[in-house]
């Protein structure tokens, strides 16, 4: 049983998904799966290559933007922003708990100029707290506004 959580009309975040979740994602209109979890993080996780193969077999796009112990960088934020902008339908982003995916989504939204309060409210409604990256969100949003 999946635990897809709505961040926006077009973005879902989720804890680790399994191969069976791909069909449900497709049924919910997902066209792109974003893996934010590095392979080998735990013995019980489904490897990214297996998720990618299942997604592609179901007609979905797949991209890996891993967020490891070193945290978030501009490269990952830009990769997430680009992936979201280029998606042709709903996006499902996942990691171990969904938190890294939500934080990365939040940073990408701020970089695109979305109001930090709206970002925080959307994340909170999905059960996630963006406090760890809130200063970066505020900075990126301010930079986007000029």
């Amino acid at each position: 049983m999946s635990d897809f959580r709505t961040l926006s009309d077009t973005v879902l975040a989720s804890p680790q998904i399994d191969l069976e979740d791909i069909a449900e994602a497709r049924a919910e209109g997902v066209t792109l799966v974003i893996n934010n979890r590095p392979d080998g993080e735990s013995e019980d996780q489904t490897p990214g290559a297996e998720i990618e193969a299942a997604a592609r077999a179901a007609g979905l796009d797949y991209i890996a933007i891993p967020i490891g112990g070193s945290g978030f960088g501009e490269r990952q934020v830009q990769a997430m922003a680009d992936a979201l902008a280029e998606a042709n339908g709903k996006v499902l982003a996942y990691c171990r708990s969904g938190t890294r995916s939500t934080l990365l989504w939040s940073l990408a939204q701020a970089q695109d100029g979305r109001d930090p309060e709206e970002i925080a409210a959307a994340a909170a409604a999905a059960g996630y707290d963006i406090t760890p990256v809130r200063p970066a969100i505020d900075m990126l949003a301010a930079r986007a506004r000029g």
Side-chain angles (χ1 to χ4, degrees):
M1 181 75 184
S2 69
D3 186 12
F4 302 160
R5 302 179 191 186
T6 302
L7 296 175
S8 73
D9 291 343
T10 58
V11 180
L12 305 170
S14 177
Q16 176 69 49
I17 63 172
D18 293 318
L19 301 178
E20 300 79 35
D21 293 321
I22 296 297
E24 184 177 342
R26 184 170 183 223
E28 290 193 28
V30 169
T31 60
L32 171 63
V33 175
I34 300 176
N35 177 359
N36 297 128
R37 190 171 190 192
D39 274 335
E41 199 171 56
S42 71
E43 292 181 21
D44 64 341
Q45 84 186 76
T46 305
E50 291 181 25
I51 298 289
E52 179 178 13
R56 296 200 185 280
L60 307 179
D61 290 326
Y62 172 95
I63 186 170
I65 308 171
I67 306 295
S70 62
F72 301 86
E74 288 184 48
R75 181 186 62 77
Q76 289 127 328
V77 174
Q78 189 60 54
M80 183 67 139
D82 291 346
L84 295 172
E86 295 168 10
N88 293 316
K90 280 188 180 179
V91 174
L92 171 62
Y94 76 92
C95 58
R96 184 189 62 76
S97 68
T99 299
R100 283 174 282 186
S101 295
T102 299
L103 296 179
L104 188 57
W105 169 83
S106 297
L107 291 164
Q109 293 297 291
Q111 179 176 286
D112 287 344
R114 187 165 175 204
D115 178 19
E117 292 302 322
E118 290 177 10
I119 296 168
Y128 295 106
D129 177 11
I130 64 164
T131 302
V133 296
R134 183 60 192 255
I137 288 171
D138 291 337
M139 183 267 307
L140 287 169
R143 185 186 298 166
R145 289 191 297 268

